[in-house]
Amino acid sequence: VALLDTAAGVPLPVAAYRRSKGEAEQRIIALCSERSIEHILVGLPLSDDNRENSQCEKVRNFSRRLGKRINVQMEFIDEYLSSEEALQRLRE
């Protein structure tokens, strides 16, 4: 999980949460409440040929469950090479 630093235009890491026993859902819900978050970007780990894979299905299922528990706008984005792009922005 990361939060966008609007001034720098880069995501800043918050934490990694375990999906087991609903921990990730609970912590994301709490974070949204604490920070008054209204919009979540959900990264889809598309394949290098731009196709969805089994991991994308897991991400979508998790997002559906989360969306039933909180009132935030969710948008799916291609996260392929996103870490490299973030590093480049930080260097700039």
Side-chain angles (χ1 to χ4, degrees):
V1 174
L3 294 175
L4 179 64
D5 178 342
T6 54
V10 295
L12 301 174
V14 172
Y17 303 130
R18 295 175 190 224
R19 289 186 300 140
S20 62
K21 299 180 184 176
E23 178 186 345
E25 288 177 43
Q26 293 169 6
R27 293 198 176 207
I28 292 169
I29 290 166
L31 183 64
C32 288
S33 177
E34 292 163 8
R35 305 264 183 137
S36 300
I37 293 171
E38 298 175 353
H39 191 117
I40 297 176
L41 293 178
V42 180
L44 287 177
L46 300 175
S47 300
D48 57 359
D49 62 357
N50 208 34
R51 291 185 185 184
E52 289 198 18
N53 51 51
S54 61
Q55 190 61 31
C56 291
E57 183 177 341
K58 291 176 184 178
V59 169
R60 287 189 183 278
N61 288 338
F62 176 85
S63 298
R64 271 193 287 279
R65 285 193 313 274
L66 185 62
K68 290 178 181 178
R69 299 182 64 193
I70 57 175
N71 185 26
V72 297
Q73 180 183 358
M74 282 195 221
E75 179 182 346
F76 293 95
I77 60 169
D78 175 7
E79 74 171 8
Y80 186 73
L81 297 178
S82 61
S83 296
E84 288 80 3
E85 180 182 343
L87 284 174
Q88 180 63 31
R89 286 187 184 187
L90 283 172
R91 287 184 191 118
E92 291 172 359

